[in-house]
Amino acid sequence: MTTRRTSKVVLAVVAVVGLAMTSGCGLRSASGAVLDAEPGEIKHYDSLEGVSLTVAAKDFTEQLILGNMLSIILNAAGADVTNLTNIPGSFGARAALTGGTANVSPEYTGTGWINYLGNDKPVKGEKEQWKAVDDADRSNGLTWLEPAPMNNTYAFAIRAEAAERLGAAKLSDLKKLPKDELTFCVESEFAARNDGFVPMLEAYGLSKDAIGKVTTLDTGVVYTATADGSCNFGEVFTTDGRIPGLNLTVLEDDQQFFPLYNLTEVIASDVLAEHPELKEIFGQLNPRLTNEVMLELNAKVDTDGEDPAIVARDWLVDEGLLK
């Protein structure tokens, strides 16, 4: 699964997106299809009949599910939906939104605040971080709706067996462990970030000299290396479907070090002003999107090999939001 925390070098993607738009090829999802579903708790709105809405989402598992979820919901609510799920990279999806190619996107508050708006330090508190990014992005013509509970942030995971053996349930437990047990697998970007590995160690009272081996790996390999015992502690993302699939246990960030990446919908402000019912629609969805829900949905794709669009629709139907 590609991460949504893309480094700033990926700004080059914006240029690629621009070429795609101007060449007439446009941005497309892998299929571009929007699966049909009938209104349920989310009703049909006559006010959305004939309204064209375009959803932009990124190209990793969670975003494939969420982009399809938003597209299916808006279609059932009455809009004419274009599904641009599967855009390469965070900045590609952002360019589609700011450039007017898309007007709705599933996003993460931390990504908006740090990656898009260029802030170095996160804001503490879920509502506070959301409010800060929403206030700042209004000048770009974008509104961030009130976010879901799910927070797809950095974390460290450990094999369930090792967690029990070491008595490790939270990151503050690391300080009591012997050096030879403090073995870590991390990706290269995380190792260098100002909200990454070394500052995390310092926040929990550890120095680089106090820990054992640190192995730098590609993101996907970190999960399997942690599961097979190549390291005790692996850097993960909290809603990644491989966590339950590999029987990993996520350590609690009890000092609340890592930035908050709560999910919400970012909508073009002019579109939201014309159709305030969009806030009502997503206000029914967002409270149900928890870390536990996304772990389960992501695992259906990453572990069980199911189609993200079908996973999205089936969950919406199971929840009664659609039929």
Side-chain angles (χ1 to χ4, degrees):
M1 183 180 84
T2 306
T3 75
R4 77 243 180 298
R5 281 175 279 285
T6 312
S7 63
K8 287 184 170 55
V9 295
V10 187
L11 278 167
V13 173
V14 175
V16 175
V17 171
L19 285 172
M21 292 176 184
T22 56
S23 69
C25 296
L27 294 170
R28 293 189 300 223
S29 67
S31 67
V34 180
L35 299 187
D36 287 328
E38 296 298 321
E41 292 180 30
I42 294 177
K43 64 183 182 180
H44 179 275
Y45 291 78
D46 291 341
S47 57
L48 288 176
E49 283 288 345
V51 175
S52 295
L53 295 174
T54 299
V55 175
K58 307 167 199 179
D59 59 346
F60 60 90
T61 297
E62 184 166 284
Q63 284 272 306
L64 297 178
I65 295 169
L66 292 169
N68 279 287
M69 193 177 288
L70 301 193
S71 298
I72 294 166
I73 286 172
L74 292 172
N75 183 61
D80 294 335
V81 179
T82 301
N83 183 5
L84 295 185
T85 295
N86 205 24
I87 296 174
S90 292
F91 285 98
R94 174 72 170 184
L97 201 60
T98 58
T101 300
N103 39 40
V104 181
S105 183
E107 260 301 354
Y108 307 91
T109 54
T111 303
W113 184 248
I114 295 171
N115 294 79
Y116 301 152
L117 297 173
N119 295 286
D120 292 328
K121 294 184 179 180
V123 177
K124 296 294 184 182
E126 291 185 354
K127 285 191 177 292
E128 291 81 1
Q129 179 65 92
W130 159 63
K131 191 71 175 127
V133 72
D134 179 48
D135 288 346
D137 225 8
R138 294 292 180 107
S139 63
N140 296 315
L142 299 173
T143 298
W144 293 64
L145 299 185
E146 190 163 351
M150 66 158 284
N151 173 29
N152 186 3
T153 190
Y154 293 108
F156 275 90
I158 183 173
R159 301 180 315 285
E161 167 274 320
E164 184 176 353
R165 175 173 59 84
L166 297 174
K170 52 188 184 293
L171 287 175
S172 60
D173 291 333
L174 298 180
K175 194 174 181 180
K176 67 185 182 183
L177 298 180
K179 181 175 180 176
D180 62 348
E181 295 286 7
L182 292 172
T183 57
F184 296 86
C185 292
V186 299
E187 59 173 349
S188 58
E189 181 186 340
F190 180 76
R193 288 178 66 100
N194 62 6
D195 58 357
F197 185 52
V198 175
M200 183 277 292
L201 291 175
E202 293 171 351
Y204 282 96
L206 290 165
S207 67
K208 290 184 71 175
D209 294 336
I211 64 174
K213 184 179 179 182
V214 179
T215 305
T216 303
L217 300 167
D218 289 338
T219 303
V221 182
V222 169
Y223 290 81
T224 53
T226 306
D228 69 19
S230 298
C231 56
N232 279 333
F233 303 98
E235 170 217 345
V236 299
F237 300 113
T238 49
T239 59
D240 195 295
R242 288 167 290 191
I243 292 171
L246 293 171
N247 196 28
L248 301 177
T249 298
V250 174
L251 301 180
E252 178 190 352
D253 178 16
D254 50 318
Q255 296 291 333
Q256 298 182 341
F257 170 78
F258 290 119
L260 297 165
Y261 289 87
N262 291 94
L263 170 81
T264 192
E265 298 77 24
V266 183
I267 303 178
S269 298
D270 57 347
V271 171
L272 187 59
E274 291 179 14
H275 297 284
E277 60 269 33
L278 295 175
K279 182 177 181 180
E280 179 178 274
I281 289 169
F282 294 125
Q284 295 175 79
L285 169 69
N286 287 0
R288 305 186 192 217
L289 293 174
T290 64
N291 278 25
E292 291 74 21
V293 166
M294 285 313 306
L295 279 166
E296 181 181 348
L297 297 183
N298 288 335
K300 287 178 181 292
V301 177
D302 287 333
T303 304
D304 302 338
E306 297 184 28
D307 183 272
I310 295 173
V311 168
R313 184 182 61 184
D314 288 351
W315 181 80
L316 291 168
V317 171
D318 289 343
E319 286 291 303
L321 292 169
L322 300 178
K323 298 178 182 177

